[in-house]
Amino acid sequence: MDSHQPQADYDHLFKVLLIGDSGVGKSCILIRFTDDTFDENQQSTIGVDFKVSTINSGGKNVKMTLWDTAGQERFRTLTSSYYRGAQGIALVYDITRRETFDYLPQWLKEVDVYSPNGGKDVVKVLVGNKVDMEDRVVTRKEGEAWAKSKGMMYLECSAKTSVGISQVFDELCAKVLQN
């Protein structure tokens, strides 16, 4: 090996996108995972934001670039280019807002349109966020059934309490490695 080459501090590099409607908690999930903090007054993402995190999965150091995309319609044209090169996608909805669950087919369609090979090579996980909330309207059973019908994993989490957050990224990462 050439002594002038810097040694990579990871075995794999993955690009992971968080997509879903505005206000479902994508930014909060990302910040809870990378910085272990929660901001009750998190502002809406404008365009796209990203963070980098390295985790150990199956004995391998995996560096993930985590892309937090804006959920608002007016930024939708920006997002198509972010799908390129993505190995994993977390489709996030808010378990207390039925419309964010009902809109998932449109998000999945976007994944199929913009991802390489019609989205077939991308690991997808459905994430029900805000399980700390009392006013749940989408049941876990509904989420699991929808995810299963689309051939994806299903997980629930709370960015506020940190429940299930690392599991989302651990499972996604393990599945990408497996593929």
Side-chain angles (χ1 to χ4, degrees):
M1 181 168 178
D2 182 357
S3 60
H4 300 294
Q5 293 285 62
Q7 186 71 26
D9 56 350
Y10 55 88
D11 301 300
H12 299 281
L13 177 63
F14 295 155
K15 180 178 181 180
V16 175
L17 301 183
L18 283 85
I19 63 172
D21 286 6
S22 186
V24 297
K26 298 178 300 293
S27 298
C28 290
I29 289 171
L30 179 64
I31 292 165
R32 171 60 79 187
F33 179 65
T34 58
D35 305 341
D36 197 25
T37 60
F38 179 79
D39 180 1
E40 193 83 51
N41 304 307
Q42 180 66 40
Q43 297 299 305
S44 282
T45 302
I46 296 174
V48 75
D49 190 15
F50 85 100
K51 292 194 173 278
V52 177
S53 184
T54 303
I55 65 170
N56 191 290
S57 183
K60 301 280 186 194
N61 279 330
V62 179
K63 186 175 192 172
M64 292 187 288
T65 56
L66 304 161
W67 297 74
D68 174 19
T69 60
Q72 291 112 311
E73 197 66 52
R74 67 177 188 255
F75 297 119
R76 210 44 70 68
T77 53
L78 292 173
T79 56
S80 61
S81 60
Y82 296 111
Y83 284 93
R84 277 197 291 270
Q87 286 95 348
I89 295 178
L91 279 91
V92 183
Y93 73 96
D94 176 347
I95 64 158
T96 70
R97 288 172 47 219
R98 165 75 54 192
E99 69 277 10
T100 66
F101 180 75
D102 292 342
Y103 198 76
L104 290 171
Q106 281 80 355
W107 284 107
L108 197 55
K109 194 161 94 185
E110 194 173 283
V111 171
D112 295 345
V113 168
Y114 296 118
S115 297
N117 198 15
K120 290 172 187 67
D121 300 339
V122 182
V123 172
K124 296 176 278 291
V125 61
L126 180 61
V127 180
N129 188 30
K130 304 190 184 183
V131 295
D132 56 285
M133 305 285 279
E134 298 287 320
D135 52 348
R136 176 178 203 135
V137 294
V138 181
T139 67
R140 180 181 192 101
K141 201 172 188 170
E142 277 180 282
E144 286 172 342
W146 194 86
K148 187 177 181 187
S149 76
K150 306 295 181 210
M152 60 177 81
M153 297 180 286
Y154 179 74
L155 296 165
E156 290 189 339
C157 68
S158 165
K160 187 174 189 172
T161 64
S162 199
V163 167
I165 295 293
S166 60
Q167 187 187 4
V168 168
F169 297 98
D170 292 346
E171 299 261 344
L172 197 57
C173 193
K175 190 80 172 158
V176 171
L177 279 171
Q178 191 183 329
N179 288 5

